[in-house]
Amino acid sequence: MSESNLNSPSPAPRRWPYWLLAVLVAVGLAAWWQWPALSGAKVSAGAAAGRPGGPGGPGGPGGAFGGPVPVRVGEVKQGDFPVELKALGTVTAYNTVNVRSRVDGELVKVLYREGQQVKAGDLLAVIDPRLYEAALKQAEGTLQQTRAQLRNAEIDLARYKGLYAEDSVAKQTLDTQEALVAQYQGTVRSNQAAVEQARVNLEYTQVRAPIAGRLGLRQVDVGNLVSSGDTTPLVSITQTLPISVSFTLPEGELPQVLEQLHAGQRLGVEAWDRSERNRLAVGELESLDNQIDLTTGTVRLKARFENAEQRLFPNQFVNVRLRVTTRRQALLAPAAALQFGSQGTFVYVVGDDGKAQLRYVTAGPGDGTTTLIEQGLSLGERLVLEGTDRLRDGGKVEVIDDSRPPAGEAPKPAPAGRPQTAKPSA
């Protein structure tokens, strides 16, 4: 070895970057932290794959070799069940009127309150009547003058008839007088019409409610000039007693509605709020449209509500429930018990032996909490409501009583005045 090689410096040792060391430490800590869970999952997977206790096997959860599965149950009951069709509806007023002035003039009085309930004929506002009072007096004066002229002409006509009978006047004079009387009679009728028109215009200075209903907000204030050609109304009136609700139903649900209507049945309708927690009003179906909308495949219906409590308001959105019929003494099951699979709707029935039996059923209409059962169940059978995810057909179950406190929790104290009896330990 040469002297130059001996004296040359040796290469420095290679160092790891600090960030790489930090990543390795973090990965190691994560693996150490997750090791118990991963080992348990491997053991469970092995048990499920290699032992008869896997899903669907007799030793799985709720199986023959496993412990009982805790479940909550509900019974199949019997009772009357209303078959209802649900839809979204809009409240509409039977009549809506925009009150406008029929004559020109200054608005001198407003005699209503905004939102007030009025009757047909109630006085709402007054337009300056002085001009129309003068026009009426002028028309009445002209009529009186024409009547006096007619009376004078009729007297002359009677005189000419006597003279003509005595052959004292010519026939032409008599005919001329008769024509003059007829002329005055026509003028009198024209003047009478002018008087009636002036009287009507004077009445129009008092603006009255044409229908009964609720007033809206005031659109014109006192002191403004109004005209019969104005587009802005003085106020609007909507009829709210009674009131209607318009809604639509799919064409597939129309036959059962028509069947009841053709049989002469009166179908009840309920209006609920948006959350469907409060019932607003109860009415009945009044009419339906004469054709189906091709664009939506729905038909429009209208229901009538008396609305005595004033809980329905025009243009309000409500949830509509149309009661088509009522199934008497039908089998009713909790909706939570129904499960849906590839082969249909099924439930788990808890037998007297404490085992769950899978059974396919035919379900009818429901209301969200209760479902009508067409076939597959009997009265009084117990159905699993909670815990179905761990159940298998034939698996053992343990029914949990909601009235009993969980393990380790002290029982609730008995009401005052009653002795508390101790329950025997299991």
Side-chain angles (χ1 to χ4, degrees), residues 249-282:
L249 289 178
E251 58 181 330
E253 298 178 349
L254 183 59
Q256 52 185 327
V257 177
L258 293 178
E259 180 182 357
Q260 299 297 325
L261 293 179
H262 294 162
Q265 300 294 330
R266 306 181 69 175
L267 304 183
V269 181
E270 296 179 351
W272 293 69
D273 61 359
R274 289 196 175 189
S275 62
E276 293 195 73
R277 296 181 179 178
N278 301 315
R279 188 176 67 180
L280 303 178
V282 178

Side-chain angles (χ1 to χ4, degrees), residues 141-200:
T142 303
L143 175 60
Q144 184 177 1
Q145 179 182 357
T146 307
R147 283 176 175 175
Q149 293 174 351
L150 174 61
R151 189 178 305 109
N152 185 42
E154 289 175 344
I155 294 174
D156 289 344
L157 178 59
R159 184 181 302 114
Y160 288 156
K161 286 182 179 180
L163 294 175
Y164 178 76
E166 298 175 357
D167 199 14
S168 299
V169 295
K171 181 68 167 62
Q172 182 179 0
T173 305
L174 178 61
D175 294 341
T176 302
Q177 190 63 30
E178 288 179 350
L180 182 61
V181 170
Q183 178 182 352
Y184 284 144
Q185 288 176 347
T187 305
V188 167
R189 291 182 180 178
S190 178
N191 293 338
Q192 286 178 341
V195 171
E196 293 176 0
Q197 182 180 3
R199 185 176 290 112
V200 170

Side-chain angles (χ1 to χ4, degrees), residues 325-347:
T325 184
T326 301
R327 298 282 295 272
R328 303 294 181 183
Q329 297 301 309
L331 291 180
L332 306 177
L338 271 64
Q339 308 295 320
F340 304 96
S342 59
Q343 300 182 6
T345 305
F346 64 93
V347 296

Side-chain angles (χ1 to χ4, degrees), residues 401-412 423:
D401 187 3
D402 292 337
S403 62
R404 296 179 57 184
E409 181 178 340
K412 296 181 179 180
K423 296 183 179 180

Side-chain angles (χ1 to χ4, degrees), residues 371-391:
T371 302
L372 187 146
I373 303 299
E374 301 289 355
Q375 59 181 3
L377 294 176
S378 301
L379 180 63
E381 288 186 314
R382 296 185 300 171
L383 309 179
V384 177
L385 303 181
E386 298 181 9
T388 55
D389 54 338
R390 299 178 56 192
L391 277 182

